[in-house]
Amino acid sequence: MKSITIKGSERESVGKVSTKALRNAGMVPCVVYGGEQSAIHFTAEEKAFKSLVYTPNVHTVVIELEGGKKINAILQDIQFHPVSDKILHIDFYQLFDDKEITLEVPIKIAGNSKGVMAGGVLNINNRKLKVRALPANLPDFVEVNISNLEMGNKLYVTDITTDNYKLLHPDNTVVCQVRISRAAMKAAQEAAKAAKAPTKKK
């Protein structure tokens, strides 16, 4: 999985007054949980989170603090201002190379469905899937191959090939399916009527 670097500064004062001052200065207060020690409080410029927050993609994060300290983490929670949509606060969870982590990643459709080529419509039921893996094995996306989907078929999580990670969904979870389009249904109905219609004798 691709990683984004966020440069920040540790802070000791976490009161409301200092937090408000930081936000007014264009900074975002953040916390890293999950480490062997207590939570780490730091701040970073709001613009530093642009490629992490405002994207459908999922990334891990390397938090670089003053003094050369680096922390591998993932975004766990984010709070926005209800009116301005400015970032108010971000929670991170620290990653360790030998500990599996659970994360939702987007799917990526691959192949050409036979059912779609025949006039069907592809419906995507789950655009993100929950995976569990070691940080080094976290995928950027889950590839979903629809090449064998005929008209009316469904593709389940059990049909997806995974490599070094697990999908945390029930076996009957539908990822996508090919539905019969209205145009295809109408054509089939008209063809059926034509087949039943009596032929006129010459």
Side-chain angles (χ1 to χ4, degrees):
M1 179 172 284
K2 295 177 182 176
S3 182
I4 292 176
T5 299
I6 302 292
K7 294 184 178 182
S9 302
E10 270 191 87
R11 65 189 187 114
E12 295 179 2
S13 179
V14 294
K16 290 183 179 180
V17 175
S18 61
T19 298
K20 185 176 181 180
L22 285 169
R23 288 173 179 151
N24 290 338
M27 306 295 285
V28 177
C30 307
V31 184
V32 183
Y33 296 102
E36 296 176 357
Q37 302 176 354
S38 58
I40 300 172
H41 296 264
F42 74 97
T43 60
E45 293 184 3
E46 186 175 7
K47 62 181 180 181
F49 300 101
K50 184 177 180 181
S51 55
L52 175 66
V53 176
Y54 305 107
T55 173
N57 301 320
V58 180
H59 303 280
T60 56
V61 180
V62 177
I63 301 168
E64 286 189 359
L65 301 177
E66 294 173 343
K69 188 175 184 178
K70 293 184 179 182
I71 304 169
N72 292 321
I74 57 167
L75 191 153
Q76 187 174 45
D77 189 39
I78 185 167
Q79 297 174 20
F80 294 95
H81 190 281
V83 178
S84 65
D85 275 343
K86 287 177 67 69
I87 300 173
L88 295 179
H89 189 274
I90 298 180
D91 289 344
F92 290 94
Y93 188 83
Q94 188 169 354
L95 298 177
F96 296 93
D97 293 342
D98 59 345
K99 292 183 179 179
E100 289 188 327
I101 187 73
T102 299
L103 194 65
E104 279 195 336
V105 300
I107 68 166
K108 182 179 180 181
I109 300 296
N112 295 310
S113 163
K114 298 174 183 177
V116 172
M117 289 189 288
V121 177
L122 180 67
N123 280 9
I124 300 176
N125 300 58
N126 288 280
R127 294 188 178 275
K128 286 187 176 183
L129 293 175
K130 189 178 291 185
V131 306
R132 186 168 183 81
L134 292 172
N137 296 331
L138 286 170
D140 291 315
F141 54 82
V142 175
E143 184 171 292
V144 178
N145 194 314
I146 62 171
S147 299
N148 294 324
L149 280 185
E150 301 277 2
M151 192 90 73
N153 285 174
K154 296 178 179 179
L155 188 145
Y156 297 89
V157 289
T158 50
D159 299 319
I160 298 174
T161 302
T162 59
D163 186 22
N164 297 326
Y165 63 88
K166 303 170 187 173
L167 291 174
L168 303 182
H169 294 271
D171 290 349
N172 62 350
T173 300
V174 177
V175 180
C176 58
Q177 56 188 315
V178 178
R179 293 186 178 276
I180 300 174
S181 65
R182 291 183 180 179
M185 189 177 294
K186 186 177 180 181
Q189 290 173 344
E190 290 178 351
K193 287 181 181 178
K196 291 181 179 180
T199 54
K200 293 181 179 180
K201 293 181 179 181
K202 293 182 180 180

